[in-house]
Amino acid sequence: MDYNEVKVNLRKFGFPLSTVNALNQIQTIINGETSRKQHLNEDLAMDLISEFIFCETNEEGKSTKPMSRIRYLELLVMICEYFNKTKIKPDNDNCCGDTALNAIFMTLFPQFGAPPQRTNMLVSLVSLAISTYSNLILQSAGVQMQQLGCSSKYSSQLADGLVKKFFTFISSNSSSLHLLPQNAPLFTANLMTSLSELYFNTKTPDTNMIIKEPPRVVLETVVQWINSDPCLCFTAHYTDLQRALPSGAIPMAATLPFLGLFRWCFFAPLCVKNNNDLELYSELHCALIESVMQGWKVYSEQNPRVSRPYTLSVHSVVPQQLKDLIEETIKLNDPVTMHAVEIVVERLTQSIHAAIISDTIFGNKQDLVNQLESLPENDVLKTLIKRIQV
Amino acid sequence: MEPMEVSVTDEEYMMTKAKSFLETDCFRCRSWLLTAKSMFPNNFGIHFECYEIEKNLRCVQRAARCFSCLLEDFPNEAILWKEIENFTPILCMDISCLSEEQTFFREMFSALPLSIQQKLLSVCAERSEDTMEHCRLVLLLLNRFPQSSTELALKLMDTMITAEKHNQCPNVINCYRKILVCDLGPLLVSTSTLNQKNLYKMLTKTTEFYITYAMGGHSIIQNLPDTENYIKTPWEDLFASCERIGKKLSWELRSVLSQSDKRKAWKKVSSFAKKFVIASNNSELSKQLVFCGMILFVRHVFDYNKSLKIENGSEYLLVKAIKGPKVQINKPPLKQAVLSIATKLNESLIGITDDSSEVLDHFKMAFNYWELLTNKEPMCTDYWKLSAQIKVDTFIGQFLNDIEFYQGKYKNLFKAVPVHESIRKSLSLVTLYYCVQEFKKCTEHIFEVVDQIESLSLYGSVSTEIANPPEDREMYYIQIARLPVLQYCVKIMVQILYNQLSNYPSTSDILIGHLLVLSQMVWPEGKAIAEDMYNHIGKLPLFTYPQFPAYITNIDIIEHFMAMFMENDKCVLNVFPCVASSLSPRISTRGAGKGVKEEFRSALKKQVKRWSEPVDETMLLFFKNERESLMKTATLMEKSLTF
């Protein structure tokens, strides 16, 4: 069918039929015919998406008014249903979803080339998918996040959008959040990684060193997720992304949420003032070291052929900002803050020990010792250094 | 980075540190424990302490994780096994009566990996020395892991049967049998581990247990915890169990057990018997029929017994119907007349004194099964074998007695009369002595009944069934209540007196008077008796019955006496003692006896006023005061029959 013919045909229908037909058309374009030149196909798909699905452009390719709220909702539900009606192949696990759907998802919500309002659409769609247990969308989103990198702008925007537009309006007791690790483990793990980068992070271009805390509901949810399954944090590592991607795509290396979440635990005693939150960080820390020690052990016993992941890296485990913060705090010489420093060192020691025990630490032994010796003195730390040096 | 040798102080330091945060921050404490455990993977003390800390924190999941690690890494530690011995018995206990700690153990056990649960259960079951505990552990094992050994299940069946024997359980309702039938049975049957012989064994044990429980009126089974020491729906459970076993034996007839329409069930059973069993003489089919048939039969007897004792505390008794009064009683037959039961039950032979039809229905159904099971080969042999095994006869005594009564085997029934003094006992004897025509004894027991009748709180109502039974009625169920029982006794007395009157018309005055009194109790049917008596009186020159004012309250009779007095001048009515003194043979002569006439009239008028007095009170008074003359009449009457 001719390039223009497709559009003319689709224009014969109004919403919602035009959208349904467009979705089917895109499916055949992306996953079906290979005779056409690939870039032409992609262009056509992009055009169809912006004109018939998100209604961002009109017939002439000019931008249109934003759609009404009702239409917006109808469209979300329609996309959800489109993904839900697809039957998953029996050999698929609940991580990668359906390869064909993943390709459509990537075209619908690409990293580049889409207008900014589509990011909002993505956040709304994922929120709806979490609430309605539309697992295939979540699985596709998880694959896309990993492929683009969990700390990429795309993933960060999605994670931040979810926090602002979804988490803050939902209780951490909600069963849709509780069941997320079972329904879409890859998405959950990657979302945790993205979330972990959003807070207690000074890498952001902001040089003002404003350290952001996660909202309580996010903290509670993350703790609950990790406790529900000690292997969850390793999901991105052992997922075979290749199977999830369209042919020819090269899978990106996985990042795990450990480093970012451990950083939360290290910064929290020095930055967080709320006692209830501090207790939660204690629980998070406990859950993390348990996951580091148990999770990989459990998984690798069942799957001996998967390579070993790294939970911590010698070079980033004690960030400079943390060292600075500790030094500043020590200068205050206040017994309360000194106690906080003690906790930080204690957690550092325990997490490094956990990584050593599980043999998932990356880096050089001497570098690690040097890093540790730069920290304030502490009995447990000494024991650990002794053990490392043997 | 291999773990290195660390001094004891390091371990102690870690544990002290960990425990110092137990109160303030349990997650900090746990982080320390995790670190300590990973630093000293071979130190049982640390690992066990971690478990105990989680146990004291009542954290089921973490404790379970610690515990399974302990079992894996230190399988030979005595302390660990002591802990296991502490909590395995809890698994067999009832959930509702567990302490907080026991509940925790239970939950922790469920949180353990399945393979560890199975291993623990089988090891503990083997170690257990107490039969009940052993059995419960094996049951638990079988329930949770149905794929585990079938040999174990069979062994347990034998263990339970032997335990029942060894512990010399006085009856079938004991804890071992209950567990065998209610817990192990369904499990064994559902997993198809039993061969045909064992299936029959289980079926017999099950049937015996439930029938004894339901029919014997058992409630509590000894040596079991409160929640499982009773059976709420023994019949339903019996039907379900037998259907389950029947299915394994591929019994076509098994569906009749759950059939809610009893008539349809009976139709199925009887046609099955006719079609297959009687014709083919097949022993398998016969067994099937006898098992299903017997269970249904006993169930009907159960319903029958229940319907004999109705809710308001009264009961029914099957008694001989009293016809008449104009029935000529002949000399007692030499041989007992026996009603044949080879034919179908003749429904019109039996009635009931009130509207309730339940008793009759249940009797009829039970009778049908009884007749089917005991009258034809090959069922007959099988039935008696099974019935002896399960001791069915001990539970269906009442029904068997009533069958004998129906068959007319009265002489056998004297020994079946209840031992304790009761109105039921006396009334049974009344009807039995009546049946064998020993009227003296019969009357004696009527007086016994009358003596006890005032203790009956239930009044009941008079019944035409007693007063005037239908022609072909031979017996009926009488409600043991004041009015029907009294009416029944009156009916017998009427018959005795009537017979005596027709045999010896000379001694008639008192008989006529008594019959008039008694006829009031069976009014309006008694009207015929009264009219007969008026005729008798009309033929007499003088009728003397001074008890008249004491017992006659019936307005019709009083009115008739008034009329007789006014119209008839042949007979002198000497019925008012107060008037009698001035009586002369020619009382009716005009003028001369005018004063007497007035006196008689006013005495009758006075008598009329008593018309509303309850007739049963009058009757009781009559029986009390006239005992001697009634006894005399009965004795004479009996003699006249024997000689």
Side-chain angles (χ1 to χ4, degrees):
Chain A
M1 206 183 286
D2 187 59
Y3 194 93
N4 273 320
E5 220 175 306
V6 176
K7 288 186 181 176
V8 171
N9 273 339
L10 283 173
R11 283 186 191 126
K12 288 178 189 159
F13 305 99
F15 181 82
L17 214 54
S18 61
T19 312
V20 176
N21 290 342
L23 276 170
N24 292 329
Q25 194 68 54
I26 291 161
Q27 189 178 355
T28 38
I29 294 171
I30 294 176
N31 294 309
E33 302 166 36
T34 45
S35 58
R36 268 174 209 277
K37 285 186 180 160
Q38 192 63 30
H39 68 276
L40 274 181
N41 275 341
E42 276 169 16
D43 284 349
L44 174 57
M46 296 296 261
D47 280 0
L48 294 183
I49 286 169
S50 63
E51 184 178 342
F52 296 100
I53 294 183
F54 295 113
C55 305
E56 294 151 346
T57 52
N58 59 14
E59 288 179 34
E60 291 137 29
K62 288 181 183 152
S63 25
T64 55
K65 279 192 292 182
M67 61 178 85
S68 70
R69 303 263 167 184
I70 295 287
R71 174 100 176 243
Y72 187 85
L73 188 63
E74 279 180 312
L75 177 58
L76 287 177
V77 172
M78 198 181 280
I79 299 176
C80 247
E81 279 172 357
Y82 173 77
F83 273 79
N84 284 344
K85 77 178 181 205
T86 310
K87 290 211 171 61
I88 321 171
K89 279 171 248 146
D91 59 321
N92 258 331
D93 55 31
N94 59 354
C95 281
C96 302
D98 180 90
T99 313
L101 284 180
N102 290 345
I104 292 169
F105 186 90
M106 287 172 176
T107 323
L108 285 175
F109 301 101
Q111 187 177 16
F112 303 112
Q117 63 262 37
R118 207 155 322 155
T119 315
N120 291 334
M121 197 66 160
L122 176 62
V123 171
S124 308
L125 182 69
V126 173
S127 306
L128 183 66
I130 295 175
S131 309
T132 56
Y133 308 99
S134 304
N135 302 332
L136 280 168
I137 290 184
L138 299 175
Q139 285 153 12
S140 293
V143 169
Q144 173 80 326
M145 283 172 90
Q146 183 163 342
Q147 188 61 8
L148 301 179
C150 291
S151 47
S152 66
K153 193 180 167 206
Y154 182 94
S155 302
S156 302
Q157 275 178 341
L158 174 56
D160 194 44
L162 284 175
V163 171
K164 287 183 177 134
K165 292 184 181 167
F166 183 67
F167 279 88
T168 35
F169 298 105
I170 198 169
S171 149
S172 59
N173 294 325
S174 135
S175 61
S176 57
L177 281 184
H178 280 204
L179 292 173
L180 199 60
Q182 283 173 43
N183 292 333
L186 184 66
F187 172 75
T188 316
N190 287 336
L191 180 62
M192 279 201 291
T193 312
S194 295
L195 286 171
S196 77
E197 294 300 324
L198 290 180
Y199 306 103
F200 296 113
N201 197 348
T202 48
K203 263 191 285 180
T204 40
D206 229 337
T207 43
N208 272 346
M209 285 270 294
I210 301 166
I211 292 175
K212 234 181 3 166
E213 289 177 38
R216 190 176 168 83
V217 61
V218 173
L219 187 56
E220 280 171 340
T221 310
V222 167
V223 170
Q224 194 268 327
W225 281 344
I226 300 176
N227 274 329
S228 74
D229 176 7
C231 300
L232 182 66
C233 293
F234 293 96
T235 313
H237 175 75
Y238 59 68
T239 299
D240 178 12
L241 208 61
Q242 185 73 67
R243 287 198 303 136
L245 296 172
S247 56
I250 303 157
M252 293 288 288
T255 42
L256 304 187
F258 288 109
L259 193 62
L261 292 177
F262 269 126
R263 200 183 56 243
W264 291 13
C265 300
F266 304 153
F267 275 94
L270 302 171
C271 308
V272 177
K273 298 284 173 278
N274 182 325
N275 269 330
N276 289 336
D277 285 354
L278 279 171
E279 272 174 34
L280 269 173
Y281 285 105
S282 181
E283 188 175 356
L284 176 63
H285 173 68
C286 179
L288 283 170
I289 58 171
E290 194 166 18
S291 179
V292 168
M293 289 193 283
Q294 289 299 316
W296 184 245
K297 198 178 147 204
V298 171
Y299 187 79
S300 59
E301 271 166 15
Q302 293 158 0
N303 306 276
R305 292 171 67 191
V306 178
S307 68
R308 189 157 35 87
Y310 292 112
T311 55
L312 284 181
S313 143
V314 167
H315 301 287
S316 51
V317 66
V318 194
Q320 189 55 45
Q321 289 86 349
L322 184 63
K323 281 185 197 160
D324 296 346
L325 202 55
I326 290 173
E327 263 168 43
E328 269 172 50
T329 317
I330 289 174
K331 274 183 206 151
L332 293 175
N333 203 12
D334 167 31
V336 178
T337 48
M338 285 309 283
H339 177 68
V341 172
E342 193 190 324
I343 298 180
V344 176
V345 178
E346 182 181 306
R347 284 186 188 166
L348 265 166
T349 317
Q350 287 170 347
S351 47
I352 292 167
H353 176 72
I356 293 173
I357 285 293
S358 61
D359 205 4
T360 56
I361 191 156
F362 177 80
N364 179 288
K365 209 190 268 189
Q366 192 50 48
D367 287 351
L368 181 59
V369 173
N370 293 343
Q371 287 267 21
L372 294 179
E373 278 174 343
S374 69
L375 290 170
E377 270 200 12
N378 178 300
D379 284 346
V380 201
L381 192 61
K382 268 194 263 172
T383 315
L384 181 68
I385 294 171
K386 251 197 305 180
R387 296 189 62 159
I388 297 168
Q389 282 171 330
V390 170
Chain B
M1 296 183 195
E2 289 295 305
M4 57 163 223
E5 289 295 315
V6 198
S7 62
V8 181
T9 44
D10 266 351
E11 302 171 21
E12 275 171 1
Y13 169 77
M14 299 283 273
M15 291 311 281
T16 326
K17 195 91 186 166
K19 279 188 274 181
S20 69
F21 302 117
L22 192 55
E23 306 280 310
T24 50
D25 184 349
C26 67
F27 290 104
R28 196 169 173 192
C29 166
R30 282 190 177 117
S31 300
W32 274 104
L33 292 176
L34 282 167
T35 313
K37 276 203 286 187
S38 61
M39 248 181 217
F40 311 108
N42 298 321
N43 187 320
F44 174 75
I46 288 182
H47 285 251
F48 193 74
E49 198 161 358
C50 289
Y51 159 71
E52 290 218 297
I53 287 172
E54 295 297 355
K55 187 173 99 180
N56 293 332
L57 287 170
R58 295 281 180 267
C59 181
V60 174
Q61 294 299 331
R62 288 175 197 276
R65 245 178 282 157
C66 288
F67 192 82
S68 39
C69 288
L70 279 172
L71 259 186
E72 233 165 76
D73 299 337
F74 309 96
N76 298 318
E77 288 286 343
I79 302 174
L80 189 61
W81 281 99
K82 204 153 181 220
E83 181 76 3
I84 294 170
E85 274 164 27
N86 275 343
F87 78 73
T88 35
I90 296 166
L91 302 174
C92 315
M93 290 184 194
D94 180 54
I95 305 172
S96 61
C97 51
L98 293 183
S99 70
E100 191 219 355
E101 191 187 15
Q102 290 170 327
T103 315
F104 167 79
F105 273 129
R106 215 188 159 94
E107 286 170 0
M108 190 191 82
F109 180 80
S110 308
L112 291 174
L114 290 180
S115 59
I116 291 187
Q117 288 187 20
Q118 186 172 3
K119 191 178 146 202
L120 274 183
L121 283 177
S122 55
V123 172
C124 291
E126 248 169 66
R127 287 183 169 204
S128 171
E129 281 164 16
D130 177 71
T131 317
M132 279 305 264
E133 196 186 289
H134 166 80
C135 143
R136 283 175 186 280
L137 286 170
V138 177
L139 268 177
L140 213 60
L141 189 63
L142 293 172
N143 265 321
R144 293 207 186 195
F145 308 100
Q147 77 287 357
S148 59
S149 146
T150 51
E151 270 167 49
L152 208 61
L154 283 173
K155 224 171 97 189
L156 185 62
M157 179 173 164
D158 286 338
T159 311
M160 295 319 284
I161 294 172
T162 340
E164 201 182 344
K165 271 184 214 152
H166 275 232
N167 288 284
Q168 288 162 343
C169 296
N171 64 34
V172 179
I173 307 303
N174 60 62
C175 54
Y176 305 107
R177 178 68 73 95
K178 199 245 163 183
I179 286 179
L180 175 72
V181 166
C182 302
D183 303 320
L184 186 58
L187 214 63
L188 280 172
V189 175
S190 68
T191 51
S192 317
T193 42
L194 297 179
N195 57 18
Q196 181 154 333
K197 189 184 148 226
N198 278 328
L199 278 172
Y200 272 114
K201 197 169 174 184
M202 188 56 99
L203 183 61
T204 317
K205 294 269 177 203
T206 303
T207 314
E208 182 186 21
F209 174 76
Y210 282 121
I211 284 185
T212 312
Y213 188 88
M215 299 299 282
H218 289 273
S219 56
I220 284 174
I221 306 163
Q222 298 294 317
N223 300 326
L224 284 174
D226 283 351
T227 45
E228 42 180 297
N229 63 359
Y230 66 97
I231 293 160
K232 211 172 163 192
T233 50
W235 287 108
E236 283 71 14
D237 294 359
L238 171 63
F239 294 157
S241 303
C242 290
E243 252 195 284
R244 219 178 293 129
I245 300 172
K247 196 176 171 192
K248 292 282 167 196
L249 291 165
S250 25
W251 279 3
E252 190 191 326
L253 206 53
R254 66 174 190 276
S255 63
V256 295
L257 293 171
S258 54
Q259 175 75 260
S260 58
D261 186 337
K262 300 293 169 213
R263 279 170 212 287
K264 275 188 191 156
W266 161 246
K267 266 187 192 159
K268 242 185 208 169
V269 171
S270 61
S271 74
F272 185 86
K274 270 179 216 142
K275 258 193 222 158
F276 304 111
V277 186
I278 297 170
S280 71
N281 216 350
N282 176 317
S283 75
E284 271 307 307
L285 291 177
S286 163
K287 261 188 187 170
Q288 177 181 162
L289 175 67
V290 166
F291 258 109
C292 295
M294 191 204 68
I295 290 169
L296 288 174
F297 163 61
V298 179
R299 168 71 209 228
H300 282 299
V301 173
F302 175 80
D303 288 339
Y304 173 66
N305 288 346
K306 216 167 72 181
S307 64
L308 283 178
K309 291 194 170 58
I310 35 184
E311 280 161 9
N312 53 16
S314 85
E315 32 188 332
Y316 290 105
L317 181 71
L318 187 60
V319 295
K320 184 83 179 163
I322 310 297
K323 303 288 183 57
K326 288 180 192 167
V327 176
Q328 189 61 44
I329 299 176
N330 297 316
K331 287 183 184 170
L334 291 171
K335 266 176 109 182
Q336 266 188 35
V338 175
L339 280 164
S340 160
I341 70 153
T343 53
K344 272 198 155 182
L345 177 75
N346 188 345
E347 283 176 57
S348 60
L349 286 180
I350 311 181
I352 188 157
T353 60
D354 57 20
D355 302 330
S356 151
S357 67
E358 272 199 343
V359 185
L360 290 177
D361 286 347
H362 292 313
F363 181 76
K364 192 185 146 198
M365 288 309 287
F367 184 96
N368 286 340
Y369 281 100
W370 171 251
E371 199 260 345
L372 178 82
L373 292 168
T374 57
N375 261 329
K376 281 196 186 76
E377 286 297 347
M379 289 90 82
C380 181
T381 319
D382 281 339
Y383 173 78
W384 289 116
K385 225 196 264 170
L386 183 63
S387 143
Q389 222 171 338
I390 297 180
K391 299 171 209 72
V392 170
D393 281 4
T394 49
F395 306 120
I396 57 169
Q398 181 62 49
F399 173 75
L400 293 180
N401 290 343
D402 291 345
I403 285 270
E404 288 207 313
F405 193 90
Y406 175 83
Q407 292 170 306
K409 298 177 183 166
Y410 308 118
K411 280 183 181 157
N412 300 352
L413 287 171
F414 281 98
K415 62 179 188 302
V417 166
V419 189
H420 302 289
E421 287 303 324
S422 66
I423 194 153
R424 189 186 172 88
K425 175 186 177 178
S426 309
L427 193 60
S428 306
L429 288 168
V430 167
T431 197
L432 286 176
Y433 279 119
Y434 174 84
C435 292
V436 297
Q437 304 199 348
E438 289 188 33
F439 295 105
K440 189 175 163 232
K441 284 242 172 76
C442 174
T443 314
E444 274 170 17
H445 286 104
I446 286 181
F447 286 115
E448 265 182 43
V449 170
V450 170
D451 286 343
Q452 296 171 69
I453 216 161
E454 271 169 300
S455 64
L456 282 179
S457 56
L458 196 71
Y459 260 80
S461 52
V462 291
S463 156
T464 48
E465 185 76 35
I466 301 173
N468 189 21
E471 193 123 339
D472 44 5
R473 193 71 89 231
E474 283 295 333
M475 60 205 78
Y476 43 69
Y477 290 93
I478 186 170
Q479 191 190 11
I480 302 197
R482 216 169 153 131
L483 290 174
V485 170
L486 194 58
Q487 219 184 358
Y488 186 73
C489 295
V490 163
K491 199 72 207 262
I492 295 179
M493 260 351 280
V494 165
Q495 210 180 66
I496 293 170
L497 297 179
Y498 223 100
N499 255 274
Q500 193 62 7
L501 182 66
S502 57
N503 290 342
Y504 303 95
S506 56
T507 55
S508 57
D509 277 20
I510 193 150
L511 291 179
I512 293 171
H514 283 355
L515 278 166
L516 272 174
V517 173
L518 292 171
S519 74
Q520 299 176 106
M521 189 68 211
V522 288
W523 211 264
E525 286 80 6
K527 206 166 184 173
I529 304 171
E531 265 157 21
D532 210 22
M533 292 307 113
Y534 305 148
N535 282 338
H536 275 282
I537 294 170
K539 288 175 200 153
L540 295 171
L542 173 69
F543 174 64
T544 308
Y545 190 63
Q547 297 96 319
F548 186 92
Y551 308 133
I552 299 288
T553 56
N554 184 300
I555 192 80
D556 284 6
I557 299 179
I558 297 170
E559 265 179 8
H560 199 92
F561 265 75
M562 185 58 124
M564 279 203 293
F565 178 71
M566 299 299 284
E567 292 159 14
N568 185 358
D569 44 28
K570 277 179 212 148
C571 176
V572 179
L573 299 173
N574 183 11
V575 290
F576 292 109
C578 54
V579 196
S581 57
S582 54
L583 267 182
S584 69
R586 297 258 61 90
I587 186 178
S588 56
T589 312
R590 250 164 224 269
K594 201 168 184 203
V596 179
K597 231 175 181 175
E598 268 318 304
E599 259 182 84
F600 190 91
R601 200 192 304 253
S602 69
L604 269 178
K605 267 187 183 167
K606 222 168 105 192
Q607 195 66 18
V608 168
K609 284 182 187 152
R610 294 185 52 195
W611 70 273
S612 61
E613 283 179 18
V615 68
D616 55 309
E617 299 285 347
T618 316
M619 244 5 96
L620 285 174
L621 193 70
F622 169 78
F623 274 112
K624 263 180 208 156
N625 295 342
E626 307 300 324
R627 179 180 287 224
E628 226 166 285
S629 70
L630 291 170
M631 274 311 301
K632 207 175 104 195
T633 317
T635 316
L636 285 172
M637 143 93 181
E638 193 180 314
K639 273 187 189 151
S640 75
L641 287 173
T642 8
F643 299 108

